[in-house]
Amino acid sequence: FARDNDLKPESVKRAHRRFRAVDKNQSGMIDYTEFCEVLQVDPTPQCEQVFRLYDYNKSGLIDARELLIALANFTGAGKDDKLKFAFMLFDEDGNGVITKSELVRILKANHMAKAEAEVSRKAETIMAQADKNGDGVVTFDEFVIVSKKFPNILFPAQTVKP
């Protein structure tokens, strides 16, 4: 999908800007039509298949931030840029920290776990490792450190079918 649609780091950033413009009610959720609009792709069976991958509850809506994180993994961006991008996307209020619920979204975006309980358990483990000062949030510096301990947070060890 990334190769077929010439997906580059800058195109994911542009897609994020389009998403913010499309997401009038700021729900973070988009439907398939908006998905195609945000990514500037024509509706195809392959695009629909990618959309369905992220429609966990089969509601016809996906969390666009989760999708953008996943797509960023398939661009040529370096790990530092991917880390900054992921942190920026999930630091919803822009306060410079990620909460456990924001971390859960990152884990879901990278398909580290599909079952809610498993995602929550992984988030708790990661928070315990990352949140060194015990304030209940993860700063960007803590996020960088924990991403080295748990590289699959942002860089899943998965095989992608061509």
Side-chain angles (χ1 to χ4, degrees), residues 48 100 121 150:
E48 193 170 345
K100 181 183 170 194
R121 185 179 46 77
F150 299 93

Side-chain angles (χ1 to χ4, degrees), residues 88-159:
M88 177 212 55
L89 279 180
F90 286 96
D91 176 14
E92 294 173 332
D93 53 9
N95 65 352
V97 295
I98 291 180
T99 63
K100 181 183 170 194
S101 66
E102 291 167 335
L103 179 60
V104 164
R105 285 197 177 112
I106 293 171
L107 297 177
K108 280 184 178 177
N110 284 300
H111 293 284
M112 278 189 69
K114 293 195 180 186
E116 203 66 41
E118 188 181 349
V119 173
S120 186
R121 185 179 46 77
K122 286 185 183 209
E124 285 171 21
T125 301
I126 292 167
M127 286 297 287
Q129 290 287 314
D131 183 19
K132 291 301 182 194
N133 62 2
D135 61 359
V137 295
V138 177
T139 65
F140 179 69
D141 290 340
E142 290 170 330
F143 187 68
V144 170
I145 291 166
V146 82
S147 74
K148 290 177 179 155
K149 285 184 182 177
F150 299 93
N152 285 350
I153 293 173
L154 290 176
F155 312 112
Q158 60 190 21
T159 56

Side-chain angles (χ1 to χ4, degrees), residues 25-127:
N25 65 356
Q26 297 186 333
S27 70
M29 305 301 283
I30 58 174
D31 64 20
Y32 179 65
T33 303
E34 292 166 326
F35 166 85
C36 292
E37 184 180 330
V38 164
L39 296 180
Q40 292 186 323
V41 295
D42 293 326
T44 65
Q46 183 185 29
C47 288
E48 193 170 345
Q49 185 178 8
V50 171
F51 180 85
R52 283 196 313 262
L53 272 174
Y54 292 93
D55 185 7
Y56 301 115
N57 61 1
K58 309 301 178 226
S59 67
L61 297 171
I62 61 172
D63 185 324
R65 292 164 300 200
E66 292 177 5
L67 173 73
L68 292 170
I69 290 287
L71 291 177
N73 282 319
F74 296 103
T75 69
K79 286 187 177 186
D80 289 347
D81 287 338
K82 290 177 188 177
L83 281 170
K84 287 176 191 164
F85 185 67
F87 192 87
M88 177 212 55
L89 279 180
F90 286 96
D91 176 14
E92 294 173 332
D93 53 9
N95 65 352
V97 295
I98 291 180
T99 63
K100 181 183 170 194
S101 66
E102 291 167 335
L103 179 60
V104 164
R105 285 197 177 112
I106 293 171
L107 297 177
K108 280 184 178 177
N110 284 300
H111 293 284
M112 278 189 69
K114 293 195 180 186
E116 203 66 41
E118 188 181 349
V119 173
S120 186
R121 185 179 46 77
K122 286 185 183 209
E124 285 171 21
T125 301
I126 292 167
M127 286 297 287

